[in-house]
Amino acid sequence: MIDIVYTISKYLIMICFGLFVIISFRVQRDVPEEMKQQTYTVQRSLMIAIHAVAFFVIALHVLNGDSDINIWYLIAFYIAQLAYLLVMTMLIPRFVRLNQGINHVMCMFLTVGFIIQTRLSFENSLKQFVIILVGTVLFLIICFFCKRAKFLRSLTWVYCIMGMGLLMLVLILSTVSRGARLSLEVGPFSFQPLEFVKILFVLFVAGAFHKSTSFKYVVITAVCAAIHVGIQVLCNDLGSAFILFVIYLMMLYAATRRFIYIAIGTAAFAAAAVAAYHLFNHVRIRVSAWLDPWSDINGKGYQIAQSLFAIGTGGWFGSGLFMGNPSSIPLVSKDMVISAIAEELGGIFAIFMILLCLCFTLMIFRVSIRVSMTFYKLLAFGLGVSYAVQVFLTIGGAMKFIPLTGVTLPFVSSGGSSMLASLITLGIVQALYVISESDVAQERRMIAAGVSLSEFDGYEDLKEPGNDEYDENDEYDDEYEDDEDFYDEEYDDNDNSKREPVENRVFFYDINDIHENNK
Amino acid sequence: MTSMKTISDRNLKKINRVRKKINKGRIINKDIMKVFAFFAVLFSALIIYLCYFLSFQSGSVINNSYNRRSDVLKKSVLRGSIIAQDGSALAYSELDQNGNEIRVYPYGNVFAHVVGFDSNGMAGLEASYNYYLLTSHLGLFEKISNEFHHIKNTGDTLQSTLNAGLQNYIYQLLGNNYGAVICMNPDTGEIYAMVSKPDFDPNDISEIWDYLVEDHSENEYADLTDSVLLNRATQGLYTPGSTFKLFTLYDYWLEHPDEVNRFSFDCKGIMAVGDTTISCYNGAHGHEDLSAAFANSCNCAFGTIGSHLDLEHFRSVNEKLLFGRDLPVDIPSKASVFSLSADDSEFDIMATAIGQGNTQMTPMHLAMVVSAIANDGVCMVPHLAKAVLNPYGEITKQFRPQVYTRLFSETEAQLLKSYLRSVVTDGTAQTVYPGNFQAYGKTGTAQKENEFTGDYDHSWFVGWAENNEQKLAVCVIVENMETAGMTGVYLSKQIFDYYFGY
């Protein structure tokens, strides 16, 4: 009987999660926020359902006597987590106009983290929850105050120096664990500054390119970036070094729109990779463990082999919670959490997980698209790239798609610094969304107030002779165009006759905004 | 109700211009979407790779002794069957009246070592292909339906290369003698039979386990005198005796190719080496050339040859011929040992050259080397698994013949063939000469004085027989020849007759 409950719960979790992911993608359509509220309610229900079902299974497992967790602690912990999720998705948005889509996906990741971490180790999950609470406070502070702290934009070099300083500290003071210098011991806490350096680095590059993208500036920032990356290589943290490198390259491309930089960067990377392979023994070990983990299965290939056993044995549908053996994978709660997820919740669940990460990246990029100012745009963009690369490295590494680099899966993996940094990152993204909202509102207010466009300062500059007609190739017009593209993709299969004229739809929420703002 | 108002196309353009005025930045949203597209491609690649892994790779990946998840799979899968090449069941699982899974081995002792057993640490094919047997390729909906009905999915079936008739015949033939027999196809590496005695009944393994693993031995040779669980065919290390002259001959030919034809030896039946003597088995062979010396298995001649060999060269040739190497066979095996160094006395060197030194070989190794000669020098990977079948009987994975390595050039193989043929036509293995097949081979008798178990006399035969259609390589070792006339040659003759028909 109990086995049937386990089985049903497994498929239930998978179906709910799949629906959640599909809805998350659909929510990306450009319809007014008000119309999305219903969707968010569905998302929230699915999330709560997954959480409840999973904890029901954990509780059954505890009641069966297969675990030494106290059932009352477990119930209390469940209620605390549930309360957290409800506060985050229902209460907080009443005070801050967060992007609800991003917020829900973030909470979904946290939920998956709650489930898998509690399954792996109750105590560890409890600690993790405390860190999430602390991180959430930071998250909210950033959301509330970022808009007012305009001076933060001009601290470009402070970020750079802070970042490098932290890295130097790590290089000098850190303890070596798993062949890499990662953590600083501060009292009873172990702290991994590299997670925060990523954010500082994005702030620095965004600030620098906001000022100028002249060749001189590109060179200066490239040197600073190279120092960052270089110190990380010395720390043996190649995963983080690679993340910083990609962030810099992508931001450089976005700021200058020159493809040549990417080409140069890729060539430099290839050269550096070859050099690193010949210079550093641990790089060779990683690569050989990636190419053939089976020949030294008890040594360097152990972790990746165990990860593949987990994913392969779990198969498409997974073994079900507590039915697998994920604890045989070293570092399963951190770098290898996706293997545990694939083993127990199923390969299909893991695929949905990858899709949800992709959706999350898209959501962050869309904040970057919405916000006006270059600094903010680059900031959101850089954070999005940082997220996406990290996800790719950790999931790809666990599946033997690329060599293992030892980075965590944001919001899901356990680890204090990683979780705090992820929540801070999302705090910044949400703050940028709030700023973008006011940008859009200001623009609409202006139009609605009937400001004559010709009176608008600078309008004449834009009005070039012969440019009266709408020029499709005009690069500067494409923000609007992009939005339209989204419409078209989403509505293409619908009956065209039912479509509202574009103008009406645009105006529809313009008017709403005006009403709100005139109140 | 919100009032509706249309903005003309013209106004829309103007709004766009205002937007671009506000958005004076240099970041272009199209580029952001391009970067997103890049990540979308990367993530899709991840998903495709994961699907590929789960569909095609995971089956062979998880079948690894380091994977400790078989208990996980056992919960949902009824262990699959192992069948012989012709489909007769060698092992299958069924449920008793209490719903417990029991493993049945219909042939009892006959396949004990090669098929192995599933409990008590597992052995044989049961161990090597554990995860294939615990993987079910039932249809998706059937699986889900089974899961809800709480029925175990039927695991996949392993079709082995074993020939049940041949195995049974050899098993009966060997009777109470200790020893091992391997029959394989030299061209494909498929193992048709693998018998090891003494044996046990895998159906009772749990009951007899404690007795079997008890330490019955007081001496270092217990390894080969009793241990019932040992698969002597792949793990038994035996003194090769005269069969090793094949290696000596090969090295001699490589080192002194011009002397081979001029070789001539006058065998007096006994030869003094320092304080000791080397003697031939059946008296003086008189004047003989190399071919005759090989056919007669002349110890004096080969001892003399041994003393003319460059030891380093001899060692490297033997290493090339798989001494000291783990064999690629798909059940556990031991590596053969060749030990000879420059410090050894002349007698040791000569004794090694005639296979009586400290050299030790597994029957599997010898079978592989001779099969390579039969296959024009190419050594195939010896294997016991033919295919994995899903519960509907369709093949989900096929284990195709694989080339392991080339041991001899074609000329070398031809040359060695002619020597092995002369053993059958004119030499010690004339017993296997008659029959509707053409046989090649080398006999051997491993003599060893042993203060604990007394002297022993193991009888070897290794070789192959072929007719127009088929080839069968055989390696036989009979320990101590307890039954009179139960020699390697005799057994091989019986096996060839059975296989090729009288």
Side-chain angles (χ1 to χ4, degrees):
Chain A
M1 186 57 209
I2 213 163
D3 294 280
I4 293 182
V5 175
Y6 279 148
T7 309
I8 294 173
S9 69
K10 184 175 88 183
Y11 288 102
L12 211 58
I13 290 175
M14 196 180 292
I15 292 166
C16 288
F17 191 67
L19 282 175
F20 184 94
V21 173
I22 293 163
I23 292 172
S24 302
F25 271 101
R26 283 186 67 84
V27 113
Q28 291 302 298
R29 296 186 315 173
D30 257 344
V31 289
E33 277 296 310
E34 290 73 18
M35 290 167 89
K36 291 182 185 168
Q37 284 311 327
Q38 223 172 346
T39 333
Y40 294 139
T41 313
V42 177
Q43 275 192 315
R44 186 158 50 237
S45 318
L46 287 171
M47 182 168 79
I48 305 276
I50 293 170
H51 189 228
V53 171
F55 270 80
F56 179 64
V57 172
I58 297 175
L60 275 184
H61 185 79
V62 171
L63 288 175
N64 241 1
D66 299 332
S67 165
D68 49 3
I69 308 170
N70 184 320
I71 185 73
W72 297 108
Y73 287 176
L74 184 75
I75 292 172
F77 190 38
Y78 168 71
I79 293 171
Q81 290 180 350
L82 182 65
Y84 173 84
L85 292 175
L86 291 176
V87 167
M88 280 303 280
T89 52
M90 294 181 78
L91 195 63
I92 303 285
R94 286 175 195 267
F95 299 103
V96 201
R97 289 203 61 184
L98 297 176
N99 181 326
Q100 279 283 68
I102 295 183
N103 197 28
H104 276 83
V105 175
M106 183 183 92
C107 286
M108 187 69 239
F109 282 135
L110 288 173
T111 308
V112 174
F114 288 154
I115 295 168
I116 203 75
Q117 298 297 349
T118 308
R119 181 263 175 267
L120 290 172
S121 155
F122 184 76
E123 284 92 70
N124 197 17
S125 179
L126 213 56
K127 271 187 219 156
Q128 184 74 3
F129 188 61
V130 174
I131 292 163
I132 291 174
L133 292 181
V134 175
T136 308
V137 172
L138 290 175
F139 170 89
L140 292 174
I141 290 173
I142 295 169
C143 290
F144 272 113
F145 298 108
C146 196
K147 206 174 151 188
R148 287 164 211 168
K150 294 220 160 78
F151 69 96
L152 287 173
R153 296 205 288 260
S154 48
L155 297 178
T156 310
W157 296 103
V158 177
Y159 298 134
C160 180
I161 290 160
M162 271 171 72
M164 287 200 233
L166 270 177
L167 285 176
M168 289 306 287
L169 269 183
V170 176
L171 186 58
I172 298 162
L173 296 177
S174 64
T175 46
V176 178
S177 74
R178 291 187 286 133
R181 297 179 161 272
L182 293 169
S183 28
L184 287 179
E185 308 282 342
V186 186
F189 300 105
S190 158
F191 166 73
Q192 300 196 350
L194 297 169
E195 300 283 351
F196 303 97
V197 170
K198 266 178 250 171
I199 304 174
L200 287 171
F201 184 74
V202 174
L203 280 162
F204 153 64
V205 179
F209 287 145
H210 177 61
K211 262 185 211 152
S212 164
T213 49
S214 66
F215 184 67
K216 199 178 111 192
Y217 240 78
V218 169
V219 172
I220 294 172
T221 52
V223 169
C224 293
I227 294 172
H228 274 89
V229 173
I231 300 176
Q232 299 217 322
V233 170
L234 288 179
C235 292
N236 280 358
D237 188 6
L238 298 163
S240 298
F242 181 73
I243 294 176
L244 288 199
F245 171 77
V246 176
I247 292 173
Y248 178 72
L249 208 61
M250 293 293 185
M251 288 178 79
L252 177 63
Y253 170 68
T256 58
R257 315 198 59 229
R258 298 244 186 104
F259 195 75
I260 182 83
Y261 286 130
I262 291 207
I264 294 172
T266 313
F269 170 74
V274 172
Y277 181 80
H278 289 287
L279 283 176
F280 301 116
N281 193 33
H282 60 271
V283 179
R284 279 195 295 275
I285 290 174
R286 287 272 169 99
V287 172
S288 71
W290 169 57
L291 290 175
D292 180 20
W294 314 114
S295 61
D296 187 13
I297 196 165
N298 238 348
K300 53 188 196 264
Y302 187 77
Q303 192 177 16
I304 183 69
Q306 290 297 333
S307 167
L308 292 180
F309 292 157
I311 299 172
T313 312
W316 292 101
F317 298 106
S319 59
L321 282 172
F322 289 106
M323 305 294 223
N325 188 12
S327 42
S328 67
I329 315 165
L331 286 173
V332 67
S333 70
K334 293 188 163 92
D335 306 359
M336 288 296 182
V337 74
I338 189 72
S339 312
I341 291 173
E343 177 176 10
E344 297 218 319
L345 300 175
I348 293 177
F349 192 96
I351 289 170
F352 280 133
M353 195 79 188
I354 298 171
L355 284 173
L356 194 60
C357 291
L358 183 65
C359 183
F360 203 49
T361 310
L362 176 64
M363 286 170 156
I364 300 174
F365 279 5
R366 304 240 316 149
V367 171
S368 169
I369 285 171
R370 277 180 76 99
V371 81
S372 306
M373 192 192 237
T374 310
F375 175 72
Y376 294 146
K377 252 183 169 358
L378 278 173
L379 185 54
F381 176 71
L383 294 175
V385 171
S386 162
Y387 174 80
V389 179
Q390 188 165 344
V391 167
F392 180 72
L393 287 185
T394 179
I395 298 183
M399 292 178 357
K400 201 175 94 70
F401 188 60
I402 50 170
L404 269 181
T405 42
V407 292
T408 53
L409 185 60
F411 302 108
V412 183
S413 294
S414 84
S417 306
S418 157
M419 181 57 81
L420 284 182
S422 303
L423 282 163
I424 291 173
T425 304
L426 255 283
I428 297 173
V429 171
Q430 290 286 17
L432 293 176
Y433 176 80
V434 173
I435 291 169
S436 78
E437 282 287 88
S438 68
D439 282 352
V440 174
Q442 188 192 354
E443 184 187 328
R444 285 171 191 159
R445 203 162 45 234
M446 207 164 63
I447 297 161
V451 178
S452 159
L453 288 176
S454 54
E455 284 167 23
F456 179 65
D457 179 35
Y459 177 64
E460 288 303 320
D461 297 350
L462 297 167
K463 194 180 174 192
E464 287 158 23
N467 198 18
D468 234 19
E469 288 301 313
Y470 190 75
D471 182 359
E472 288 204 13
N473 296 324
D474 188 350
E475 300 168 337
Y476 284 105
D477 273 331
D478 52 18
E479 176 180 352
Y480 206 76
E481 247 193 312
D482 271 337
D483 289 356
E484 275 188 347
D485 284 348
F486 271 97
Y487 268 135
D488 292 344
E489 278 168 27
E490 297 292 343
Y491 283 98
D492 258 354
D493 39 14
N494 292 346
D495 188 356
N496 266 342
S497 63
K498 282 185 187 164
R499 283 182 59 175
E500 281 179 299
V502 172
E503 300 81 359
N504 282 356
R505 271 186 286 142
V506 170
F507 200 70
F508 177 66
Y509 59 100
D510 278 353
I511 290 293
N512 275 347
D513 263 16
I514 295 154
H515 280 295
E516 234 173 56
N517 288 315
N518 287 348
K519 268 175 198 168
Chain B
M1 182 67 206
T2 322
S3 64
M4 289 285 180
K5 186 177 145 195
T6 1
I7 299 178
S8 71
D9 262 9
R10 171 114 189 123
N11 279 341
L12 200 63
K13 281 172 211 157
K14 283 180 181 172
I15 290 167
N16 277 330
R17 295 230 168 80
V18 177
R19 275 171 185 255
K20 86 187 164 194
K21 176 67 191 169
I22 294 169
N23 180 12
K24 240 178 158 179
R26 293 167 295 261
I27 310 297
I28 302 309
N29 295 328
K30 257 183 189 158
D31 291 303
I32 293 178
M33 290 315 288
K34 269 186 210 161
V35 173
F36 173 72
F38 168 71
F39 282 116
V41 170
L42 280 187
F43 281 44
S44 311
L46 273 185
I47 292 173
I48 292 167
Y49 179 78
L50 182 56
C51 292
Y52 169 74
F53 176 79
L54 287 174
S55 324
F56 302 108
Q57 280 193 318
S58 65
S60 38
V61 163
I62 64 173
N63 187 43
N64 191 305
S65 56
Y66 284 88
N67 190 357
R68 299 189 194 99
R69 289 181 170 73
S70 53
D71 291 343
V72 175
L73 293 169
K74 274 179 193 160
K75 285 179 201 157
S76 62
V77 178
L78 181 72
R79 194 176 180 83
S81 314
I82 299 178
I83 58 173
Q85 197 163 165
D86 62 1
S88 48
L90 306 181
Y92 60 89
S93 282
E94 60 181 23
L95 299 175
D96 64 11
Q97 55 270 57
N98 302 326
N100 295 320
E101 199 174 324
I102 45 171
R103 194 73 172 159
V104 182
Y105 300 92
Y107 282 87
N109 298 27
V110 178
F111 290 90
H113 294 95
V114 58
V115 169
F117 42 87
D118 164 38
S119 52
N120 300 81
M122 300 204 287
L125 288 174
E126 292 270 34
S128 300
Y129 294 90
N130 184 29
Y131 282 87
Y132 288 105
L133 298 169
L134 285 174
T135 305
S136 174
H137 275 91
L138 272 183
L140 199 62
F141 292 105
E142 208 164 327
K143 265 189 189 172
I144 293 173
S145 144
N146 279 348
E147 206 169 346
F148 282 100
H149 289 98
H150 200 39
I151 303 170
K152 284 184 173 182
N153 297 318
T154 312
D156 290 354
T157 300
L158 177 74
Q159 186 187 23
S160 74
T161 57
L162 292 166
N163 179 328
L166 186 65
Q167 172 97 7
N168 204 17
Y169 179 74
I170 296 170
Y171 180 84
Q172 306 302 344
L173 200 59
L174 204 53
N176 291 328
N177 294 283
Y178 285 12
V181 177
I182 297 172
C183 293
M184 65 188 271
N185 182 337
D187 297 345
T188 59
E190 289 179 336
I191 297 172
Y192 292 153
M194 185 184 273
V195 178
S196 171
K197 290 212 176 188
D199 51 40
F200 56 94
D201 187 350
N203 290 307
D204 307 329
I205 189 71
S206 325
E207 291 92 72
I208 56 175
W209 180 257
D210 287 337
Y211 173 75
L212 292 182
V213 294
E214 242 171 59
D215 193 12
H216 301 292
S217 61
E218 298 85 42
N219 64 65
E220 55 183 309
Y221 292 98
D223 213 36
L224 278 187
T225 50
D226 218 341
S227 46
V228 171
L229 289 170
L230 188 82
N231 184 352
R232 285 161 155 74
T234 57
Q235 295 173 306
L237 284 171
Y238 290 99
T239 304
S242 300
T243 55
F244 189 75
K245 286 177 184 147
L246 183 63
F247 295 80
T248 309
L249 172 77
Y250 177 58
D251 185 55
Y252 179 64
W253 186 79
L254 284 180
E255 282 188 45
H256 310 284
D258 43 337
E259 282 180 26
V260 172
N261 290 328
R262 290 187 275 118
F263 180 91
S264 141
F265 188 82
D266 204 11
C267 174
K268 297 191 173 62
I270 192 157
M271 186 170 76
V273 183
D275 309 339
T276 48
T277 55
I278 283 181
S279 56
C280 281
Y281 219 15
N282 31 12
H285 295 115
H287 187 77
E288 54 193 1
D289 62 2
L290 190 58
S291 177
F294 188 72
N296 295 332
S297 201
C298 178
N299 287 342
C300 297
F302 273 81
T304 314
I305 289 175
S307 61
H308 285 86
L309 294 179
D310 170 4
L311 292 188
E312 269 318 299
H313 190 270
F314 197 21
R315 166 190 300 284
S316 73
V317 164
N318 280 323
E319 274 164 14
K320 202 195 123 210
L321 294 180
L322 312 179
F323 271 95
R325 275 209 246 165
D326 288 326
L327 302 177
V329 63
D330 46 0
I331 55 173
S333 64
K334 277 198 181 131
S336 300
V337 188
F338 174 75
S339 73
L340 199 58
S341 71
D343 306 334
D344 288 331
S345 69
E346 198 185 359
F347 176 77
D348 286 338
I349 295 168
M350 285 182 156
T352 302
I354 60 171
Q356 297 293 145
N358 295 322
T359 308
Q360 287 189 307
M361 291 183 79
T362 59
M364 189 71 239
H365 177 192
L366 208 46
M368 281 173 72
V369 172
V370 169
S371 294
I373 299 172
N375 191 29
D376 295 326
V378 178
C379 180
M380 304 301 287
V381 174
H383 60 281
L384 284 156
K386 193 172 176 65
V388 177
L389 313 175
N390 67 14
Y392 313 111
E394 294 151 350
I395 292 176
T396 59
K397 183 181 172 74
Q398 196 140 26
F399 300 94
R400 294 182 194 287
Q402 276 178 298
V403 172
Y404 177 53
T405 179
R406 178 175 267 286
L407 291 182
F408 307 98
S409 74
E410 267 179 57
T411 358
E412 289 163 5
Q414 281 308 325
L415 181 96
L416 292 171
K417 256 186 200 179
S418 68
Y419 281 101
L420 289 170
R421 179 67 184 155
S422 71
V423 177
V424 174
T425 51
D426 309 309
T428 52
Q430 289 178 38
T431 324
V432 292
Y433 183 68
N436 50 5
F437 49 81
Q438 188 168 6
Y440 305 78
K442 179 79 191 81
T443 58
T445 308
Q447 292 159 301
K448 198 97 179 181
E449 283 150 23
N450 185 326
E451 53 180 303
F452 300 107
T453 57
D455 296 357
Y456 64 76
D457 241 0
H458 295 347
S459 175
W460 282 94
F461 179 82
V462 61
W464 78 95
E466 60 190 39
N467 64 12
N468 291 334
E469 293 120 39
Q470 321 177 67
K471 255 188 209 174
L472 184 74
V474 162
C475 180
V476 178
I477 176 155
V478 188
E479 290 177 25
N480 283 325
M481 295 187 286
E482 277 167 13
T483 317
M486 189 57 81
T487 61
V489 188
Y490 168 76
L491 278 172
S492 304
K493 164 72 176 151
Q494 303 299 313
I495 293 168
F496 288 145
D497 280 342
Y498 174 84
Y499 189 75
F500 292 96
Y502 299 104

